[in-house]
Amino acid sequence: MSPSLVASILPLPGVSDLTGTVGVCLSGGGSRALSCAMGQLRGLRHLGLLDRVSAISSVSGGTWANALFSYLPADISDDDFLGPVILDPSTLTLSQLEQLSDNNLGWVPTRLNPPDLILKLGELKACYGYENSELWQGVIGELVLKDYQLWQADSDGFDTRYLSGTDAYLRSPDGPLARNPELTSDDFITIKRPRPQPIFNTSMFTNDGVDADLLPFETNLLAGVRASFEPGPGRLGAVGGGLLETLAMNSSFQSDAGPGTVNTTLPARAFTLSDIVCASSAAFAQMFEEQYPEFSGLVPRYPYWPIAARTSQPVMTYRFADGGSLENLGINALLARGVSRLIVFVNTDQGVCRDPASSEVIVSADLPPLFGLQPYVAGQGYVPYSDENPGQGPTRLYRHNQVFDTAAFDSLKQSLLAARRAGGALLVRQQLTVLRNDWFGIQPQPQPVDVLWVYNDFVSSWWDQLPWESRDVLTIESLDDFPLYNTFTQLFLTPTMVNALAHLACWVVASDSTLGNPGGVSNAGMFIDMFD
């Protein structure tokens, strides 16, 4: 008999239901999002709130931060990794902003210079003979994960360790080791300290044609498409219907092994932390693929079989896409788990402003689709999605994202503008009714969810307190675009750019500033109140 595995499938007790808890969303946005996330995690930890978060749902650059934070080796301290809390911007001298400790998360953007990335792609191709669809995985391993002991390439260029949860889960009576005695703990990457449950979001194309849709693909202990999709136009076959333990990703289904478990073939290779991190941030692979023909096919592909139709649907290989190509905030993965209080970090490069021609408030394109609206278009405004107008280009892929009432969007955008004009942090709290969304497997919740929107934008009250030399150098290095670094043109960031953005993000979370906040509540108080 050929070697096989016994893997869990959803439902798995304690993994999916987070009803009544607080979850955090770390949006996509490349090196900008990573730098923001470093400061945001730092601020929540400073307030003693991070240990009270049930889950961190992330996309793309937010996943770079979430993956490293979640799986950080035990011998690297959180202080070293997240950096110091400095809530007085007047003390942020240029020499202070230039410093990163040895194991600081902020080193990652300093390694992502596009010319160096191209050289690294060629170097890895020559060294390991990767297929192009596996190159981005190697780059992420080498430049994002390796320095944190989370990428150990073998002679073929792959980490052979399966992605899993905690050591306690691994060794539990019905855990992966008990079900698969031929494996040992050395075969897994595990979470080494108490952490919120990580949820890494990517997306999967239904086919390779121009009519393809994107389906939400999530990963932590389990991976896959939560909702069930029958075969139909634009799909290769049946998709989804549940989640498979990451241990068995890249496998083929053999048989049911018992309640909540299946027998599978051995995977073609282990599905590693680098695989999900590279898939979640595949927009950058897409960018390089479009610019450099020799790297055609750089966007990752993975074999996948559906839980619901596992006995009838064979494994198929699908092209994956950046999580932000579908839903860039990670909100819907938390709503699918029943999370009732969400802190949503919108780490965007789109500042809040008014269109001078129409006086309409323009906000990040990530927000309107959650309310059933297309991103803003000059001369048209925010157009509702409909069967007659599903959007065009990338906008079309967002048409399944609505989870909140359209009427609530106006209050959000007006409140963000008011906060921006006040010169303080852009913090807006809303009570929002959750709508059913079959695309993401979301059921209506009996009570409105509590959402704290935290929007990355220029904060004049913080900026004006910086020493003049820090402001001048930061203006030059950021191309006069602090803190809205462009995702693609500024994938590489200097330590000064990383630190400044992280310190601002931390200040937004943990400072005693009340400027622009409702009721004179401090920034820190806005976050503390989410846990009361």
Side-chain angles (χ1 to χ4, degrees):
M1 181 179 293
S2 61
S4 63
L5 292 175
V6 181
S8 292
I9 58 175
L10 194 73
L12 188 62
V15 171
S16 186
D17 186 5
L18 298 176
T19 302
T21 64
V22 179
V24 165
C25 298
L26 298 178
S27 83
S31 296
R32 178 189 65 254
L34 177 147
S35 302
C36 286
M38 180 168 72
Q40 289 151 356
L41 294 172
R42 182 193 303 169
L44 290 172
R45 180 170 177 262
H46 175 72
L47 295 177
L49 301 176
L50 196 51
D51 290 341
R52 299 170 64 186
V53 173
S54 65
I56 300 177
S57 178
S58 61
V59 180
S60 196
T63 289
W64 294 346
N66 192 14
L68 290 171
F69 174 71
S70 297
Y71 287 88
L72 192 67
D75 61 351
I76 299 177
S77 73
D78 284 341
D79 287 336
D80 189 2
F81 181 70
L82 294 176
V85 174
I86 300 176
L87 298 179
D88 180 359
S90 69
T91 66
L92 293 174
T93 63
L94 188 56
S95 67
Q96 177 76 47
L97 291 177
E98 291 172 341
Q99 301 301 314
L100 290 170
S101 57
D102 290 345
N103 297 299
N104 192 269
L105 173 60
W107 284 114
V108 172
T110 70
R111 296 193 286 267
L112 300 181
N113 194 15
D116 293 337
L117 279 169
I118 295 301
L119 290 175
K120 178 61 71 173
L121 286 168
E123 174 188 317
L124 291 175
K125 180 81 170 177
C127 181
Y128 295 118
Y130 285 126
E131 297 292 333
N132 279 4
S133 62
E134 295 169 328
L135 264 173
W136 186 240
Q137 178 243 16
V139 167
I140 291 295
E142 289 285 328
L143 299 182
V144 176
L145 302 178
K146 185 177 180 178
D147 281 4
Y148 303 93
Q149 305 165 41
L150 298 174
W151 171 254
Q152 297 175 4
D154 66 2
S155 59
D156 293 323
F158 299 110
D159 198 322
T160 60
R161 296 171 296 171
Y162 299 103
L163 176 64
S164 191
T166 64
D167 289 323
Y169 167 74
L170 196 64
R171 296 186 174 90
S172 61
D174 59 349
L177 295 182
R179 287 183 266 108
N180 300 280
E182 70 278 12
L183 298 177
T184 72
S185 58
D186 291 338
D187 294 313
F188 294 86
I189 291 178
T190 56
I191 298 172
K192 298 300 184 184
R193 65 190 85 189
R195 290 295 198 229
Q197 181 184 138
I199 304 167
F200 310 123
N201 296 283
T202 183
S203 55
M204 187 177 81
F205 280 106
T206 54
N207 64 54
D208 284 346
V210 295
D211 64 338
D213 267 317
L214 281 176
L215 300 178
F217 193 101
E218 58 185 76
T219 297
N220 53 12
L221 287 175
L222 305 168
V225 177
R226 177 181 292 270
S228 183
F229 297 87
E230 298 296 324
R235 296 189 196 117
L236 296 178
V239 180
L243 308 179
L244 174 70
E245 192 171 23
T246 49
L247 169 70
M249 274 291 293
N250 295 333
S251 71
S252 294
F253 171 76
Q254 291 183 321
S255 63
D256 286 333
T261 57
V262 292
N263 293 312
T264 76
T265 62
L266 279 179
R269 65 171 177 81
F271 188 80
T272 70
L273 187 61
S274 184
D275 284 300
I276 184 54
V277 174
C278 89
S280 185
S281 59
F284 305 104
Q286 181 70 38
M287 175 183 69
F288 290 122
E289 178 180 302
E290 292 172 353
Q291 294 180 357
Y292 301 94
E294 63 268 35
F295 297 122
S296 176
L298 190 62
V299 172
R301 291 175 178 267
Y302 292 99
Y304 172 74
W305 48 270
I307 298 299
R310 59 187 179 274
T311 60
S312 59
Q313 176 72 55
V315 65
M316 295 181 176
T317 299
Y318 291 89
R319 182 168 60 107
F320 279 62
D322 193 290
S325 299
L326 177 60
E327 198 272 281
N328 197 39
L329 301 180
I331 284 180
N332 289 350
L334 291 183
L335 294 179
R337 287 166 164 77
V339 173
S340 57
R341 288 171 287 171
L342 294 85
I343 298 172
V344 183
F345 291 108
V346 186
N347 294 326
T348 179
D349 62 356
Q350 171 63 64
V352 177
C353 62
R354 279 198 186 275
D355 183 334
S358 66
S359 296
E360 178 61 274
V361 181
I362 305 173
V363 298
S364 168
D366 299 333
L367 293 173
L370 296 168
F371 297 85
L373 299 169
Q374 299 181 37
Y376 185 79
V377 176
Q380 298 180 35
Y382 295 102
V383 177
Y385 281 105
S386 65
D387 291 340
E388 294 74 27
N389 190 349
Q392 297 180 349
T395 296
R396 181 184 70 87
L397 298 173
Y398 310 149
R399 71 189 188 281
H400 301 291
N401 289 8
Q402 184 174 10
V403 286
F404 302 132
D405 287 331
T406 303
F409 180 63
D410 186 65
S411 173
L412 173 58
K413 67 179 191 283
Q414 295 294 343
S415 296
L416 286 170
L417 180 64
R420 172 67 173 82
R421 288 179 167 177
L426 275 67
L427 303 174
V428 177
R429 188 168 175 178
Q430 285 187 302
Q431 303 288 320
L432 297 169
T433 299
V434 177
L435 307 179
R436 176 171 176 159
N437 185 310
D438 292 334
W439 202 261
F440 287 85
I442 296 171
Q443 298 299 315
Q445 295 194 19
Q447 301 295 328
V449 294
D450 196 353
V451 181
L452 178 61
W453 304 98
V454 188
Y455 194 103
N456 178 54
D457 204 343
F458 184 78
V459 178
S460 60
S461 62
W462 182 89
W463 176 262
D464 291 343
Q465 296 179 67
L466 283 179
W468 69 267
E469 186 180 23
S470 298
R471 290 201 306 267
D472 285 355
V473 170
L474 190 56
T475 296
I476 294 170
E477 290 191 359
S478 70
L479 307 178
D480 198 19
D481 205 18
F482 176 84
L484 303 171
Y485 309 144
N486 182 279
T487 298
F488 290 106
T489 62
Q490 293 171 311
L491 191 60
F492 165 80
L493 300 179
T494 66
T496 301
M497 296 170 74
V498 171
N499 273 325
L501 185 49
H503 282 303
L504 171 59
C506 180
W507 180 92
V508 165
V509 172
S511 76
D512 60 4
S513 172
T514 62
L515 195 61
N517 294 339
V521 179
S522 69
N523 290 358
M526 294 280 286
F527 287 86
I528 292 169
D529 287 349
M530 288 294 291
F531 292 81
D532 292 340

